Amino acid sequence: MAVFYHAESVMSVFGQPLWDFSLSLYACEGMEPLCLLLQDERQANVNAFLWALWLDENRIPVDRELWHTGMKRIESWHQWRVKPLRQLRRALPKRQPWLALRSRVKQWELAAEKKELHELQALSQGWDNLGGSPPACGQFCYRLLLLPETDPLQAELERVLTRWRGVENTSKAR
């Protein structure tokens, strides 16, 4: 398992580590179906999408070099580790005697995705600009690199993000 977690010790200089952000946002009502639609129907890398949202939430100005370097860094891992594990898990029946194996493959898939997110977070550390002004979301948002402003899914994404921000603010106030 050490191979999956070599980036585990990366500490976030941002408000929330990318893995925690991703788990929190993915659990928000409406986000899972949106991510699965992007993944299955548009062949988008959901981890790249979550990274884009994390960069936007942390107000990191768009830097195309950062984006392309990140995509290049995870390309091989995603293609040869994450995707095959996902395909294997989906191919396994959701019944006995396959449930234990399916569960194990899902654990491996999540570990591979976690490593991918850690790689993206580690890369982001050098591009930290927390003191910058918030992105004006037009040409300045990373998410627009994956989901154009005119895309009908933008409205659903905004609803999910608004819901998530409300939950996050409520949790922090406690």
Side-chain angles (χ1 to χ4, degrees):
M1 288 299 245
V3 71
F4 290 122
Y5 296 108
H6 79 273
E8 183 80 29
S9 63
V10 174
M11 296 303 294
S12 175
V13 296
F14 301 99
Q16 186 177 32
L18 178 53
W19 175 251
D20 295 343
F21 169 86
S22 298
L23 291 176
S24 171
L25 185 57
Y26 197 82
C28 186
E29 179 186 336
M31 190 55 140
E32 180 180 357
L34 178 62
C35 287
L36 292 176
L37 183 139
L38 289 170
Q39 176 181 279
D40 296 340
E41 294 184 21
R42 299 191 185 180
Q43 287 68 53
N45 178 333
V46 169
N47 281 336
F49 182 62
L50 292 168
W51 181 47
L53 295 172
W54 181 73
L55 290 167
D56 289 344
E57 287 296 312
N58 284 289
R59 295 170 166 73
I60 306 303
V62 171
D63 182 324
R64 290 193 183 272
E65 181 183 349
L66 168 63
W67 183 257
H68 293 299
T69 301
M71 294 300 89
K72 191 73 175 158
R73 183 175 285 188
I74 65 170
E75 179 181 31
S76 179
W77 182 263
H78 192 78
Q79 184 66 32
W80 299 105
R81 300 298 192 294
V82 177
K83 279 184 167 183
L85 287 168
R86 180 178 303 124
Q87 290 167 345
L88 175 59
R89 176 183 52 83
R90 287 180 169 182
L92 290 169
K94 294 180 183 180
R95 63 180 189 279
Q96 292 295 349
W98 303 102
L99 291 177
L101 177 58
R102 194 173 199 284
S103 176
R104 176 59 90 180
V105 172
K106 184 176 183 177
Q107 290 173 351
W108 294 336
E109 179 187 353
L110 287 172
E113 288 180 334
K114 185 174 185 178
K115 184 214 181 283
E116 195 170 84
L117 289 170
H118 278 295
E119 288 295 321
L120 293 170
Q121 178 177 325
L123 175 66
S124 303
Q125 303 299 338
W127 270 274
D128 175 341
N129 186 16
L130 292 178
S133 57
C137 259
Q139 66 196 50
F140 304 109
C141 287
Y142 283 93
R143 74 177 189 216
L144 295 178
L145 298 172
L146 292 170
L147 195 61
E149 198 166 14
T150 57
D151 193 306
L153 292 178
Q154 280 290 355
E156 178 58 24
L157 176 59
E158 276 307 315
R159 283 191 288 277
V160 171
L161 288 173
T162 299
R163 194 176 307 124
W164 175 78
R165 287 180 189 121
V167 169
E168 283 295 297
N169 289 335
T170 303
S171 298
K172 290 176 185 174
R174 290 181 185 164

